[in-house]
C-alpha cells in the first residue's frame, strides 16, 4: 500500500513559480513509477509529468514541456514538481499518483494506469 500527500499549492501570479511536493509512505515507493496529473473544473484529468522509479525515464504533457520539471528522492520518499512560467491555464487541482506495479519499465501517461492517488492540492494562477 502506498499513501500519497501533496503540498505546496497556492495562489501565484502569471509568470511565477510554485514547487509541489508529494510525500509517499509505504515500503515500495522507490520501486514505483510516480506521476502528476491535474484537473480543472469541468475538464478531464490531464497528465502533467511522470518519472520512472530509477529516474532514468521522464515524460511530460505537451502543455507543460519546458516549464515544469519532475524529480524524485527515493531516500526521502518524495517526488517534486517544479513549476515555472506559470500561466492562468495551469490553474487546477494537482494530484500525485503512483503505479502499483514494481520495477515498471513503462512510464504511463493515462490516469487509469495509476493505482494510488493523493487528495490533491489547489494551484491558482492569476492573470
Amino acid at each position: 500500500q502506498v499513501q500519497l500527500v501533496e503540498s505546496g499549492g497556492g495562489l501565484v501570479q502569471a509568470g511565477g513559480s510554485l514547487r509541489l511536493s508529494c510525500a509517499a509512505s509505504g515500503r515500495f515507493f522507490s520501486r514505483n513509477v510516480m506521476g502528476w496529473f491535474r484537473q480543472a473544473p469541468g475538464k478531464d484529468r490531464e497528465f502533467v509529468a511522470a518519472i520512472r522509479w530509477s529516474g532514468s525515464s521522464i515524460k511530460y504533457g505537451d502543455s507543460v514541456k519546458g516549464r515544469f520539471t519532475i524529480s524524485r528522492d527515493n531516500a526521502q520518499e518524495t517526488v517534486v514538481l517544479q513549476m515555472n512560467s506559470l500561466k492562468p491555464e495551469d490553474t487546477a487541482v494537482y494530484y500525485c499518483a503512483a503505479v502499483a506495479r514494481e520495477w515498471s519499465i513503462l512510464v504511463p501517461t493515462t490516469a487509469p494506469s495509476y493505482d494510488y492517488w493523493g487528495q490533491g492540492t489547489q494551484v491558482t494562477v492569476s492573470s
Side-chain angles (χ1 to χ4, degrees):
Q1 185 75 16
V2 175
Q3 294 179 326
L4 307 171
V5 178
E6 304 95 337
S7 62
L11 174 64
V12 64
Q13 289 188 331
S17 298
L18 279 176
R19 185 174 183 267
L20 304 184
S21 293
C22 174
S25 62
R27 51 190 293 194
F28 303 121
F29 173 82
S30 62
R31 310 173 190 178
N32 302 97
V33 170
M34 301 295 297
W36 287 95
F37 288 76
R38 66 187 183 186
Q39 189 165 19
K43 295 188 177 182
D44 292 335
R45 193 161 293 192
E46 177 188 11
F47 172 73
V48 175
I51 184 168
R52 188 183 288 168
W53 48 270
S54 63
S56 59
S57 180
I58 291 174
K59 292 185 180 178
Y60 294 100
D62 289 341
S63 61
V64 307
K65 283 180 181 177
R67 300 188 298 123
F68 291 11
T69 302
I70 188 172
S71 61
R72 67 188 295 160
D73 184 335
N74 287 339
Q76 297 295 322
E77 296 187 332
T78 58
V79 60
V80 171
L81 184 69
Q82 178 66 42
M83 306 186 296
N84 298 328
S85 302
L86 283 162
K87 305 175 182 180
E89 50 263 44
D90 293 318
T91 295
V93 177
Y94 283 70
Y95 297 92
C96 178
V99 173
R101 181 176 180 178
E102 300 172 21
W103 310 120
S104 175
I105 299 299
L106 299 176
V107 179
T109 61
T110 57
S113 299
Y114 289 78
D115 304 284
Y116 302 108
W117 293 84
Q119 292 300 307
T121 185
Q122 176 70 46
V123 171
T124 303
V125 184
S126 63
S127 57

